[in-house]
Amino acid sequence: MRGSIHAKVFALIAVVAIALIIGLASFFTGRYVDATHRELDERLRIYSQLAAHELVPVLEFDDRQTLREIMASLGADEEVAAIAVYRDDGTLVGSRGELGAPDTKRIAALIHGHSTKGTVVIEMSTALVDAEIANANRGTLLVTALALALALTGAWLVGRHLAVRLGSLASMASKVVANATMESDTPFTDESSDEIGRLSGSFNTMVGRLLAAQSREIELLLENVTEGFVIVDAKGNMGAHHSAVMDRWFGSVEKGMPLWRLFAEHDPNAAAYLELGWEALFDGFLPPEVALDQFPKRLKHGESIFELVIQPIKGENGDVTSALVVLTDVTAAIRRAEVDATRGDVLALCERALADKSAVVDFVMEGDSILRVILEAERLIEMKRAVHTLKGVAGQIGAVNIAACCETIEDGMVVSETGKPRSQDVATLTTRWQALTAHLRTLFDRTSGEVYVERVDLDQLLGRVEAHAPHAELARQTKLLRLEPMQVRLDRQKQAADALAKRLGKDIEITGSAGRLRSDPAVWAPFWNAFTHVVRNAVDHGIEPVEKRLKRGKPARAKIRIDIVRSSSCVMIGATDDGGGIDWFKVAKKAVLHGLPAETPADLESALFFDGLSTCDDVNDVSGRGIGMGAIRAVTESMGGTVAIESRTGHGTTVRFTIPVTALGDAYTDISPRAVAA
Amino acid sequence: MAYVMLIDDSATVRMQAAKALSAAGFGIIEATDGLDGLEKLATSEDAISLIVCDVNMPRMNGIDFVQAIAHSGAIPPPVIMLTTEGHPDLVRTAKACGARGWMVKPFKPELLVAAAKKITGA
């Protein structure tokens, strides 16, 4: 109340009223008192004059009887307190009452006779007058008090009235300032036509316009934004406002609807995780960043895919009370990325084809058969190896997105409880493969009818024909031409190893020769596909980083040699590196971890081939999953061959494949060592 | 030092989690399934502040484990259940049986550390 309009108005009116009322009261009381006194004085004067006149005979003739009558007559007025008549010489002629009493008014009048003089003294009591005046005063006081009370009450009420109206206006204004909203169900109305009424009318109009402008702007924002924005409370229910695009995506989105209901029909799994995740976000057990990471990042609705971002909102006391949910339609972006990915691979393969067309053709054909294994394999381990191999060959030839697809499948298999990949990952691979090869098939004549023949070999055959060489020899030479020079495959392996080494920042010299050996590509394709794992392992794990090599006193430049030689009965493929060798202690440790025997060197060598055993602690996209060795051994054994590993810690590793020479192709059957050209 | 128990039949998962948590200063107790976990919980000398437990394990799975420790008498340490994607029903069951939190596999080790820090107050 202090300092408010109420106090000020009250004070103003009170002061004025008090001044006025008290002034008036004093004024009128004063006048009444004067009048009353004057009346008494007047009466006294008249009495004295009358008495003076009447008393003349009393003094002249000493008429005591008349004196008595006059005194009685005067005395009839109750207010006459005393009368006294004196002769000129001061003698008392007669008196009535007590002279000199208090509270009296006195008057003396001269009595003029013919021969005598005298004085009459009349004293009138002021008691009555005083009593009357006192009464009047009391009355005035009462009235004054009443008037004051009324005035003050009135002042208070008027002040309050004004203060209340102004106060409502003020608090409405500060509410608007604070919240920029006006509760539309209690508009501020002041109907009167005084200044305050006009002010409140204008205020309403101003605020209405302001809010309309603001909300129109917000409406425009929500109407045109392309992302889905909505605020969701702690229970998961959506707020009243959301971007218009959400209605177009999901049908009607209503306030109070739980967020996950938008996805319940088309993506029930994601919807369930949304609900569970929301509970976790708000129950305060896990830190918010952990709870947020558990949410599905992508959700499906019909043909569209949405990305979900959740932004917690803190309330006034610092607790999280709601969250902003942002949905982005990434369907087009994903499709574009797919197209780009495939296009990238197509580009890489085309570049490769300029240098080595047959490599790309082989890749497409072999990839087709590997994919068939992936889709139809009965045993999980076959599928695992096929995926790993496809990843290797795709990486080798530069189809990085196919390789990435395979990586995703492998990751999924690791995490999955059953070891099976997620069907959507396999579907993605299939789709991507078909997209990629569709492009390539239009560029290449994909007949398996091409054979790669070197001019020098053809010339040599022609020479033998023209020299009328024996039929058996000519038959054999011709058969040989149907086989592919192993050097071609070897060169590819070397090239891929080179590229990988550069990618990993390692300086490696890669050499090797296949002599003039030839092999049936159909039979050997699976071998070479799996061989990529051996090469990748050597480059990635076998060769140590430069600092380590130098510390060991080795040259900074590492060496990998891949040689293919044949004896009369076998062909031997050896891959040797001068790296750090196999860490047999680590192998032993991992073997024990997987429950394998680890006593003898033979045990450890076996363990190396066990699927899933890797001496690496980290899996990268090149190797480390422990699948490669098992794959190559399986292929080798299916060709009737064997694998052996020699390794010296600190010095290097050699992997040796011994395969019957008949696996090279039918040109190598029934021949004597002498007649063999290579 | 606060101790965390890791229950998972996959050695790789245990190793990953153990590496991150011990680097952050937590003591680690490993178990290979629910039964092993119960035993280690009962016999452990160190007070275990948090249990991270997989759902699918041989002999005794995560759900049964959580139920078992809920009925063991003493107040058990809080349990974070590790689940794979695509099984929201398992999460619900786990929560109903007493698991306080859950994380989807594969989890980011640094997030597990953050959760452990918050829960154990370390």
Side-chain angles (χ1 to χ4, degrees):
Chain A
M1 165 117 175
R2 196 161 46 121
S4 78
I5 287 280
H6 191 184
K8 290 179 184 154
V9 168
F10 175 76
L12 177 69
I13 299 181
V15 162
V16 168
I18 289 171
L20 202 65
I21 290 171
I22 291 182
L24 282 172
S26 316
F27 176 69
F28 284 110
T29 311
R31 284 220 2 195
Y32 176 75
V33 165
D34 275 350
T36 312
H37 275 285
R38 245 201 313 276
E39 191 265 333
L40 188 68
D41 288 343
E42 186 67 15
R43 213 166 0 130
L44 203 54
R45 190 182 60 87
I46 290 172
Y47 280 176
S48 66
Q49 276 189 340
L50 209 60
H53 181 68
E54 299 286 311
L55 283 169
V56 164
V58 170
L59 278 182
E60 298 267 33
F61 308 112
D62 201 23
D63 185 347
R64 299 268 161 176
Q65 174 66 18
T66 308
L67 179 65
R68 273 200 292 277
E69 280 172 10
I70 292 170
M71 287 218 255
S73 159
L74 273 174
D77 186 338
E78 299 174 330
E79 287 180 74
V80 174
I83 310 163
V85 180
Y86 295 97
R87 284 188 209 275
D88 202 23
D89 57 14
T91 47
L92 183 68
V93 176
S95 77
R96 189 186 155 113
E98 220 181 282
L99 283 162
D103 295 328
T104 52
K105 263 192 164 164
R106 186 191 164 104
I107 194 162
L110 278 171
I111 307 169
H112 268 291
H114 293 296
S115 53
T116 55
K117 284 197 216 148
T119 320
V120 58
V121 172
I122 307 179
E123 285 182 354
M124 284 184 79
S125 160
T126 58
L128 215 62
V129 166
D130 287 342
E132 262 183 40
I133 288 175
N135 256 356
N137 275 347
R138 265 199 294 279
T140 308
L141 209 63
L142 198 67
V143 169
T144 307
L146 256 158
L148 275 176
L150 274 168
L152 288 176
T153 309
W156 196 83
L157 286 171
V158 168
R160 196 170 78 104
H161 175 71
L162 288 173
V164 160
R165 289 163 74 203
L166 285 172
S168 304
L169 194 55
S171 61
M172 190 67 68
S174 38
K175 255 196 240 166
V176 170
V177 164
N179 302 330
T181 57
M182 202 154 74
E183 282 138 36
S184 51
D185 47 349
T186 52
F188 178 70
T189 46
D190 191 313
E191 299 288 336
S192 59
S193 55
D194 67 1
E195 286 87 339
I196 297 182
R198 293 209 304 269
L199 177 63
S200 67
S202 306
F203 176 78
N204 283 340
T205 314
M206 268 177 8
V207 172
R209 281 200 202 139
L210 172 74
L211 292 181
Q214 258 183 14
S215 86
R216 183 69 204 134
E217 205 177 298
I218 294 176
E219 257 175 54
L220 271 176
L221 197 78
L222 286 180
E223 202 125 320
N224 289 291
V225 75
T226 52
E227 280 91 355
F229 290 115
V230 65
I231 307 255
V232 183
D233 68 14
K235 291 204 176 47
N237 298 324
M238 297 188 278
H241 303 284
H242 55 267
S243 32
V245 73
M246 281 179 69
D247 293 315
R248 293 200 284 277
W249 287 339
F250 300 109
S252 68
V253 175
E254 280 153 27
K255 169 181 157 121
M257 203 190 264
L259 174 68
W260 34 92
R261 198 178 302 168
L262 299 175
F263 298 98
E265 198 190 318
H266 293 255
D267 199 348
N269 186 57
Y273 273 106
L274 255 187
E275 189 176 353
L276 288 165
W278 209 265
E279 282 170 27
L281 182 61
F282 283 94
D283 81 357
F285 177 64
L286 293 171
E289 68 270 25
V290 178
L292 285 172
D293 194 62
Q294 310 307 317
F295 280 98
K297 306 290 183 293
R298 292 208 174 147
L299 304 118
K300 283 202 299 284
H301 182 88
E303 290 297 315
S304 307
I305 301 179
F306 294 94
E307 235 167 45
L308 174 76
V309 171
I310 299 174
Q311 185 91 339
I313 299 175
K314 289 207 178 126
E316 275 149 14
N317 52 1
D319 289 338
V320 175
T321 52
S322 59
L324 170 68
V325 169
V326 183
L327 289 166
T328 314
D329 187 341
V330 292
T331 325
I334 291 179
R335 220 176 286 140
R336 244 197 322 265
E338 267 299 314
V339 170
D340 284 346
T342 307
R343 198 175 292 153
D345 278 359
V346 171
L347 213 64
L349 262 56
C350 285
E351 271 179 15
R352 191 63 201 276
L354 291 174
D356 185 356
K357 176 176 165 180
S358 57
V360 176
V361 174
D362 288 339
F363 168 68
V364 173
M365 282 165 53
E366 284 148 27
D368 274 343
S369 57
I370 297 175
L371 190 62
R372 215 168 307 132
V373 171
I374 294 175
L375 294 173
E376 296 165 5
E378 282 174 1
R379 294 191 305 142
L380 194 63
I381 187 61
E382 286 170 24
M383 181 203 273
K384 254 187 175 175
R385 286 176 183 155
V387 172
H388 198 65
T389 303
L390 182 60
K391 188 176 86 169
V393 300
Q396 197 180 44
I397 203 161
V400 292
N401 289 292
I402 297 289
C405 244
C406 296
E407 173 89 11
T408 308
I409 295 179
E410 284 185 322
D411 284 339
M413 287 198 284
V414 165
V415 172
S416 147
E417 298 286 347
T418 54
K420 289 211 190 103
R422 296 196 301 193
S423 52
Q424 71 201 67
D425 292 339
V426 177
T428 309
L429 174 65
T430 314
T431 316
R432 245 183 225 184
W433 178 260
Q434 281 162 358
L436 175 66
T437 53
H439 278 94
L440 293 174
R441 276 177 245 269
T442 63
L443 292 170
F444 302 121
D445 185 28
R446 203 187 124 246
T447 55
S448 52
E450 285 183 3
V451 172
Y452 180 83
V453 169
E454 282 194 50
R455 188 174 286 279
V456 60
D457 293 331
L458 193 58
D459 287 345
Q460 194 193 40
L461 176 62
L462 190 58
R464 297 308 292 153
V465 166
E466 285 171 348
H468 300 285
H471 184 82
E473 187 195 321
L474 292 179
R476 189 180 162 267
Q477 292 277 45
T478 313
K479 277 186 193 168
L480 265 179
L481 286 184
R482 279 198 307 190
L483 302 179
E484 171 193 65
M486 283 189 122
Q487 191 66 43
V488 171
R489 288 282 173 164
L490 192 52
D491 285 341
R492 282 190 206 155
Q493 294 285 340
K494 280 157 68 178
Q495 197 171 40
D498 217 16
L500 181 62
K502 284 198 176 45
R503 177 149 78 93
L504 296 176
K506 293 187 179 174
D507 184 13
I508 311 180
E509 186 191 339
I510 305 175
T511 55
S513 153
R516 299 195 58 207
L517 279 172
R518 301 175 87 97
S519 63
D520 185 345
V523 172
W524 281 80
F527 178 86
W528 290 115
N529 290 338
F531 192 77
T532 60
H533 302 309
V534 177
V535 169
R536 284 154 91 87
N537 278 342
V539 173
D540 195 9
H541 304 304
I543 305 296
E544 327 89 309
V546 174
E547 311 86 60
K548 239 188 180 172
R549 287 183 68 83
L550 292 174
K551 247 200 267 185
R552 280 177 171 158
K554 293 171 161 174
R557 188 150 225 251
K559 283 196 175 53
I560 296 182
R561 251 197 99 74
I562 310 172
D563 283 315
I564 311 179
V565 295
R566 63 154 290 196
S567 71
S568 57
S569 57
C570 309
V571 58
M572 285 157 301
I573 302 120
T576 307
D577 66 65
D578 70 343
I582 293 175
D583 186 345
W584 292 109
F585 292 104
K586 258 195 175 164
V587 174
K589 177 170 148 200
K590 290 288 167 99
V592 168
L593 212 61
H594 286 265
L596 298 167
E599 307 291 320
T600 66
D603 287 338
L604 293 179
E605 213 183 291
S606 288
L608 212 54
F609 289 100
F610 185 76
D611 286 301
L613 188 142
S614 167
T615 55
C616 313
D617 293 318
D618 301 305
V619 167
N620 58 30
D621 67 332
V622 176
S623 53
R625 291 185 190 271
I627 297 289
M629 296 308 288
I632 187 85
R633 186 170 73 167
V635 173
T636 309
E637 287 175 356
S638 78
M639 292 163 82
T642 56
V643 190
I645 301 182
E646 285 156 30
S647 173
R648 278 209 301 150
T649 312
H651 287 87
T653 309
T654 299
V655 187
R656 226 178 281 287
F657 301 88
T658 310
I659 297 174
V661 74
T662 47
L664 285 175
D666 59 1
Y668 285 89
T669 55
D670 289 343
I671 34 142
S672 64
R674 244 180 330 120
V676 170
Chain B
M1 149 143 73
Y3 277 83
V4 178
M5 177 180 273
L6 302 171
I7 313 180
D8 196 317
D9 56 335
S10 156
T12 318
V13 171
R14 289 201 309 269
M15 182 187 64
Q16 249 195 323
K19 198 162 141 184
L21 285 168
S22 51
F26 288 95
I28 308 289
I29 298 175
E30 291 187 29
T32 54
D33 61 26
L35 281 178
D36 193 18
L38 281 178
E39 199 186 304
K40 295 228 166 89
L41 189 61
T43 58
S44 164
E45 284 174 2
D46 307 294
I48 293 172
S49 320
L50 170 66
I51 300 180
V52 179
C53 175
D54 190 19
V55 171
N56 288 323
M57 299 181 290
R59 296 201 303 160
M60 181 191 262
N61 65 33
I63 311 267
D64 294 336
F65 171 77
V66 171
Q67 272 183 325
I69 60 171
H71 292 119
S72 68
I75 298 179
V79 174
I80 295 181
M81 199 70 96
L82 295 176
T83 79
T84 49
E85 257 189 64
H87 298 283
D89 45 319
L90 275 181
V91 175
R92 284 233 174 271
T93 315
K95 282 178 76 167
C97 293
R100 277 291 275 126
W102 53 277
M103 285 174 72
V104 176
K105 281 182 7 178
F107 57 85
K108 297 191 179 106
E110 63 268 23
L111 289 181
L112 185 62
V113 170
K117 280 191 181 155
K118 177 176 196 278
I119 294 164
T120 62

